[in-house]
Amino acid sequence: MLGPSQKVTLQYDSTAPYILQAYAKPVVVTSGNAVDLFVETDDKTFCKYDEITDAWDSMAYLFPGFEQIKNLSKSHKATLTLPGGIKKQNFSYFVVCENGARDLSNSSMIKFSVDFTLKGYFTVLWPNDIHLNQKEVTLHAELSKYTSWCKYTFGNETDIPFEDVSGEGLIFEKELTNLKDGEYQYIIKCKVGPEILQDELSFVIDTSAPIINSIEDGNKTCFPEDPVHVAVEVNDSSTPFSYSYQLKNSKGIVIASGNVSSSPFDIKMENLTIGDKHSIEVSVTDGLGNVGAIKKSDGFLVFSSNDTKNCDDKQVPKMNYTEDSSSCKALKVNIKCQDNSKCKVDQAGWAYTSSECKSGNYSTPFQFNKTSYLCYFIADEAGNTNAGTVPFTVEDKDGDKILDIGSCDKCLDTLAGASVDITGCTDKDNKDNKPDEDKDKLPDSFEILYNSDNCLLDKNKADSDGNKILDGQEDYDKDGMTNYEEYLDSTDPCSADEKDTDGDGILDKDDKCKKTPASEIKNVIKTKSDKNYGCAPSEITSVGTTPSVEDEKKPGEEVFPWGWVFIIFGLLMIGGGIGHLYYYQQQRRKAPSKTGRAFFIEEKPKAAAKQGFNLGEKFKLFERRTTEKLKKKEERSQVFEAFGGEEKHIPHVEKILAKEGVSPIKKVAQIFQKYTENKEEIQPALSSKEKDVFEQLVDLSERHGQVKNIPEKQAKDIFKKLDKIVKTRHKGKKK
């Protein structure tokens, strides 16, 4: 019997892929906790990246889509979460890609830098990434620059203020009480100058004793001289654990005891009684000192190895596992060997791909925060073995480190790098999720708080004033921010007086210097009666004035048009001057003598032609002379341009462009080399627009590591621009 035919597409590719460009965005990270890495290849590929090596098998990090043939792509993007505690640091990552034929690409480099000092940063956040055995916690934040306020968001609790315990805007605290056991993650935001800094603060409250779910020690043993392998599964959020055990016979006599720091563990067998049933009692203490109750195993029978009836074991052992999804940050997996006789998981390990998973020494539980593969090797005391790999699908599509399991992540499309709380939602998400009866983007509580006759915000009407503009899009106080933006910033939508533009803790209505630089905010004058209230020393002149304060026109206030007054006055002065000149010329023709008789100025024959030379002709003469001066100035300018950026030849460049048999990309590389070597000689011969082309070439080279790595399309574009410059110059010379 033949089945239905199917179409199979085969592709042959003998060429290695090539990385066209690899870069980070942003190149300089000044805020947030993530950066995006981008790779473009000329063939469909998978890609890896690593900060230490470009050896394919040793590279640690994968771009999404790896090891799935259908996801081969020419464009790749990975979001890299930055390590904590960074202030200022440069990063570089090797990138290598592989096509479907397993051909490797060239190695490229992605570089970016982190500089949180530009906008300020958190120097201390506590408690963070720890477990606590207490119900009361004081959130603690310290910042590098003066901060006007700090607030936190946790679910529906938004914009809860901290207390400035330093009195200097540098240390903030908030006491939390009556906390329940569980995971906590807060969004912390602080205003440093005009910037809002955000970060996450997470911890676990665990005051409960750990509970042992199971103890796996096998059903029987035929080799009483060999150690018993014990696997303990614990239900508790804290790690690590310590284990206390006792091995007892059926009469309750302790045969062996001890303490170990990890599970699974081995117990050395001594004085076991053939035919008797033995059991193991275990108690667990978690990392916070909580001690759990003692639990007893089901026990195992002891047989002699010569007992063929009970010890002829040819059954292959099985590997069982249990999943614990009680945490929203990691899937916990416990593994154990199951067999009639004594058996153990001899080795186990995990990796993000099945091909890279290797077994080795291990301890449980495994914790996975993304899709992973667990590999194992198990064996029983009869020598029967088993090995395999088990995939565990763990999804976090938006990469916010809150898993998409159960009801954990309530905001599944969070932007990369955004700070989220334990529900996976940002501060904005939490505010948008509040009850909003009229769907105008303003929650009912906000509209109730600010609704008034002069600021209509009816929670039951999307357009409270009936002007066909939704309440969320209105700007009642005319400060340039919509009511919705005011809600997100926790400011008054009905009054512009409640703003603090520079974040110095002084409202604009009282602040004499509304735009104080962030670096000087801690030095502003805080005395309200001072005429320079809210100003830093650099904003105060020697005579005590504050030049940074602008004279602002208040609504409805009329400003006298002094500018027009001065213009009219100037025109009158010019008119008076012209009239005076005219009168003076007329009076010179005839003037009374000291004796009271009139006298006439003797005129020479040539002067007769000047009889009609009046004031109008003088203006014509002035205009003619002005035109001649401008013409001469233009000629001089052309002469200087000839010696400046308008030379017809660009040193070292034209010879390269004129070469035959050389590809445009190689010509661009040669021009770049000549330009960098002879920059001081070439630049003076370039116009500003021509300099831009050369600087563009330099920027592309720096961005891609070297000229040969510039994408072909961009390299050809640069070549065309350079060629056009030379041709335009020669065309001008022929004219």
Side-chain angles (χ1 to χ4, degrees), residues 392-404:
F392 290 90
T393 301
V394 182
E395 291 190 343
D396 178 16
K397 294 178 181 178
D398 55 9
D400 60 2
K401 297 184 180 180
I402 303 297
L403 304 184
D404 305 342

Side-chain angles (χ1 to χ4, degrees), residues 269-382:
M269 295 299 184
E270 292 180 351
N271 303 318
L272 295 186
T273 304
I274 302 297
D276 193 13
K277 189 172 186 178
H278 297 68
S279 60
I280 299 169
E281 295 180 355
V282 180
S283 68
V284 180
T285 303
D286 66 20
L288 299 175
N290 300 309
V291 181
I294 296 174
K295 186 176 180 67
K296 183 178 179 180
S297 69
D298 293 336
F300 57 91
L301 292 170
V302 179
F303 297 99
S304 169
S305 57
N306 297 322
D307 188 341
T308 56
K309 180 179 178 181
N310 292 298
C311 294
D312 185 15
D313 182 9
K314 296 181 180 180
Q315 183 178 353
V316 175
K318 296 180 180 180
M319 199 279 287
N320 285 345
Y321 63 86
T322 58
E323 298 181 21
D324 178 5
S325 58
S326 60
S327 170
C328 288
K329 290 193 167 186
L331 175 67
K332 296 180 182 180
V333 177
N334 284 282
I335 60 174
K336 56 186 177 182
C337 178
Q338 186 174 22
D339 193 71
N340 287 330
S341 62
K342 183 171 59 181
C343 75
K344 69 175 181 177
V345 180
D346 194 48
Q347 292 183 326
W350 70 276
Y352 291 128
T353 65
S354 59
S355 61
E356 294 183 339
C357 191
K358 293 178 174 57
S359 298
N361 295 329
Y362 75 100
S363 62
T364 58
F366 290 93
Q367 298 192 54
F368 303 133
N369 56 16
K370 62 173 64 175
T371 295
S372 305
Y373 293 82
L374 189 152
C375 45
Y376 61 89
F377 177 82
I378 58 178
D380 63 17
E381 63 180 1

